[in-house]
Amino acid sequence: MPVALLIRTRLKELKLGQRDLARAAHVTESYISQLLTQKKLPPAPNRTDMYKKIEQALKLPQGQLAKLADQQRLEQLRKRLGDQPTPFLHNVRELILRKCHPKKTRQIRTIFEKQHFGELERFVTQKLLGVVKSVARQELDNPTWMRKVARLSKKSYPQMRVTVLEFLDTTIFDLSNENCIAFLNPLLESWDIDLATFCIEIVLNRRVAPGHHKTFEFMERGPDKTSGEEPGLKDFLQDPLLSGDVSEEELLFLRTLTFENKRPTPLYYYRELQSLRDPLHFQPPTKKASA
């Protein structure tokens, strides 16, 4: 059952309107309307707190909407597996270059402009997006932070909630100008990269981002580590709809999976990634007894 159909059914049974649901979920009525008319795909459950709020308002079993959303999104991904991503918007690239360390800007621009989807541009953009999304996810339930960012973006609190929810569902291949105005521009202070080691340093705006300095470093891998890489994993990594936000830690795990008589598909790795991210699949760390 589609998420929209279940929500519409429960609204009718409980004699509630879209406005009631929007207030309960802390989003705009327009956003709820677009979800119910299926003009928007339900957001990924692991990137939003909206489903819990809607389930409480509609008296639904916990986790039911999230499960349906996962199924609906997976079906949509199956339909779009053959689609080719569109080039970055000009303003997105310009913002990223403007935030680059001044001594590197000219060199990085030359590399970026050689092709629409060059490896360096994708790498840098994904890291910048990942860091900013982690801040937005961490502060999603912080009204003070949300209102501060809303003022910077000249939005109301409910509008900002919707913007954050949509932003958390964004990949590097569908970054919009609105994402740049609302998040990347106010939260990112600067970034720098060592082109020899690909160590990237990201500085966030300390006024709106806790832990304002981030550094990412990567270990060199020998040819024996990549020569036997599964074809399905390669296809998974080449598809931004499936792997657009995969982290280096998650990628290391996926590369450890080996198969003797089976050849997994890209969708297998997508599902494995979702399982890895689901806290229900892991027990909390046990506390050591004090001596």
Side-chain angles (χ1 to χ4, degrees):
M1 176 186 293
V3 170
L5 178 58
L6 177 58
I7 292 177
R8 286 200 304 268
T9 301
R10 288 300 292 163
L11 285 175
K12 185 176 181 180
E13 291 172 352
L14 298 174
K15 297 181 180 179
L16 296 173
Q18 293 183 15
R19 180 173 298 178
D20 301 312
L21 193 59
R23 288 174 178 171
H26 298 171
V27 296
T28 61
E29 187 176 352
S30 172
Y31 183 68
I32 293 296
S33 175
Q34 290 175 328
L35 284 179
L36 297 186
T37 55
Q38 301 190 60
K39 292 181 180 179
K40 285 188 178 295
L41 191 66
N46 65 326
R47 300 174 189 166
T48 177
D49 63 343
M50 185 179 69
Y51 295 116
K52 289 183 180 179
K53 291 180 170 62
I54 292 179
E55 286 167 350
Q56 290 175 356
L58 299 183
K59 301 177 182 179
L60 290 169
Q62 184 176 353
Q64 183 177 6
L65 282 177
K67 183 178 180 180
L68 289 175
D70 263 336
Q71 294 173 350
Q72 191 170 337
R73 289 176 61 83
L74 186 59
E75 184 61 33
Q76 185 69 13
L77 284 170
R78 287 197 184 108
K79 294 178 181 179
R80 297 177 61 184
L81 273 175
D83 291 354
Q84 294 297 319
T86 55
F88 284 129
L89 290 173
H90 173 74
N91 290 346
V92 175
R93 174 182 283 182
E94 288 303 313
L95 172 67
I96 291 171
L97 288 171
R98 179 158 47 86
K99 297 288 184 174
C100 180
H101 192 284
K103 292 183 179 180
K104 295 277 183 65
T105 303
R106 179 176 296 182
Q107 183 183 11
I108 297 298
R109 179 183 290 277
T110 301
I111 297 173
F112 278 13
E113 291 180 347
K114 286 183 178 179
Q115 55 184 152
H116 286 308
F117 297 101
E119 292 181 359
L120 181 63
E121 186 169 9
R122 282 182 291 182
F123 169 75
V124 170
T125 307
Q126 182 163 315
K127 292 307 166 190
L128 297 179
L129 178 61
V131 168
V132 174
K133 283 170 69 172
S134 69
V135 174
R137 188 180 295 110
Q138 178 181 343
E139 302 293 342
L140 182 61
D141 287 325
N142 182 347
T144 301
W145 182 88
M146 193 73 69
R147 289 189 173 91
K148 185 184 295 184
V149 178
R151 285 195 298 271
L152 291 174
S153 303
K154 298 181 180 180
K155 292 178 179 289
S156 68
Y157 178 79
Q159 287 174 333
M160 199 65 218
R161 283 271 307 177
V162 170
T163 303
V164 170
L165 292 174
E166 292 182 332
F167 176 65
L168 292 178
D169 219 21
T170 297
T171 71
I172 62 170
F173 291 95
D174 50 30
L175 267 172
S176 66
N177 291 331
E178 183 181 17
N179 295 148
C180 290
I181 295 171
F183 297 103
L184 295 185
N185 189 43
L187 268 68
L188 279 176
E189 191 72 32
S190 64
W191 64 273
D192 193 8
I193 187 170
D194 185 331
L195 294 175
T197 64
F198 285 91
C199 172
I200 182 169
E201 295 188 7
I202 301 171
V203 179
L204 300 175
N205 182 347
R206 66 176 66 229
R207 293 179 301 168
V208 288
H212 66 282
H213 188 276
K214 306 287 184 181
T215 302
F216 296 89
E217 295 182 288
F218 301 90
M219 295 183 300
E220 181 180 353
R221 292 186 176 84
D224 59 318
K225 294 288 186 179
T226 58
S227 58
E229 192 170 90
E230 289 288 342
L233 178 58
K234 291 181 180 179
D235 292 340
F236 166 80
L237 294 174
Q238 291 173 1
D239 190 327
L241 291 171
L242 297 176
S243 62
D245 63 343
V246 65
S247 69
E248 285 299 313
E249 183 180 2
E250 291 166 340
L251 183 54
L252 283 174
F253 169 77
L254 294 178
R255 281 182 168 143
T256 64
L257 302 176
T258 57
F259 307 86
E260 291 186 5
N261 302 316
K262 295 182 179 180
R263 286 294 172 262
T265 66
L267 284 175
Y268 167 82
Y269 288 99
Y270 173 79
R271 286 173 171 168
E272 194 71 45
L273 180 62
Q274 303 313 306
S275 296
L276 184 63
R277 292 172 172 177
D278 192 336
L280 294 177
H281 294 167
F282 301 92
Q283 294 181 352
T286 56
K287 296 182 178 179
K288 295 183 179 179
S290 57

